Amino acid sequence: TLWIYDTRNRELVLNRGVFASLDLSGTGEALNSDFKYIRMFSQFNLYRPVKRWAGRRLSWAQSLRLGLADSFDQELDRKDRFFAGGQYSVRGYPTDSLGPVEVLGDNVVRPLGGKTVVVINQELRFDLLGPVAGLVFFDLGNVWEDTAEFSSDLFKSVGLGLRAVTPVGLLRLDLAFPLDRRELDPTSKIYFGFGNTF
């Protein structure tokens, strides 16, 4: 079951409104399944304008994502596990690399995901020239194998980006710096794509 609430403005660089969603899923004996699990994933995004600075429009964008799952002492399928890290969650870290991993060999790790995820994003967006906007951001988040292991131990990153409104849509360029680097993490990471990260 999926619930969505959306009052965002329709500008390509979002600067006003709220987006909230709640996704519930699961299975069990009532659905004639031998496997039991329950999964909840929620997201809350807030976009609000702030005072102009040096004649430029400023807006503050915030996102909170929370996921919880329980498989009642059974192994949770990989497709139902949560992952974090990468351009759409905690920028600066390799995609899906946060949380539990399996070491497969020298310099090779396989993300395992987990039953609990928290991702928090903060962006200060500002007009630059014409159709181009800039931003600075702070991301943090992590994945845990089980809800009982949840803690305030979050991976953090900072960075800056550009957004350009073009005839083919919103172009995105971000430069991210992980603040809690592990041995195989890069010192910085560049992302290029279409649309907003959240």
Side-chain angles (χ1 to χ4, degrees), residues 39 69 71 74-85 94-105 108-117 142-146 149 182:
R39 184 181 189 273
S71 55
Q74 296 175 297
E75 184 69 22
L76 185 63
D77 194 286
R78 182 177 178 85
K79 68 178 177 60
D80 296 313
R81 299 173 76 85
F82 299 108
F83 295 86
T95 301
D96 295 341
S97 68
L98 302 185
V101 296
E102 176 184 17
V103 179
L104 301 176
V108 178
V109 295
R110 176 177 177 255
L112 296 176
K115 297 178 181 177
T116 304
V117 64
N142 204 356
V143 175
W144 296 268
E145 171 57 33
D146 198 271
E149 299 174 6
R182 301 158 297 181

Side-chain angles (χ1 to χ4, degrees), residues 127-140:
D127 292 338
L128 284 176
L129 294 172
V132 179
L135 60 87
V136 292
F137 64 81
F138 176 60
D139 297 339
L140 63 162

Side-chain angles (χ1 to χ4, degrees), residues 27-61:
T27 189
E29 295 176 358
L31 298 174
N32 295 320
S33 173
D34 293 331
F35 182 71
K36 295 189 298 182
Y37 85 94
I38 187 169
R39 184 181 189 273
M40 181 276 293
F41 183 74
S42 62
Q43 181 170 348
F44 180 79
N45 298 350
L46 176 64
Y47 310 88
R48 54 185 174 180
V50 294
K51 289 184 178 180
R52 287 181 174 263
W53 178 75
R56 301 185 188 278
R57 184 179 60 169
L58 301 177
S59 62
W60 192 261

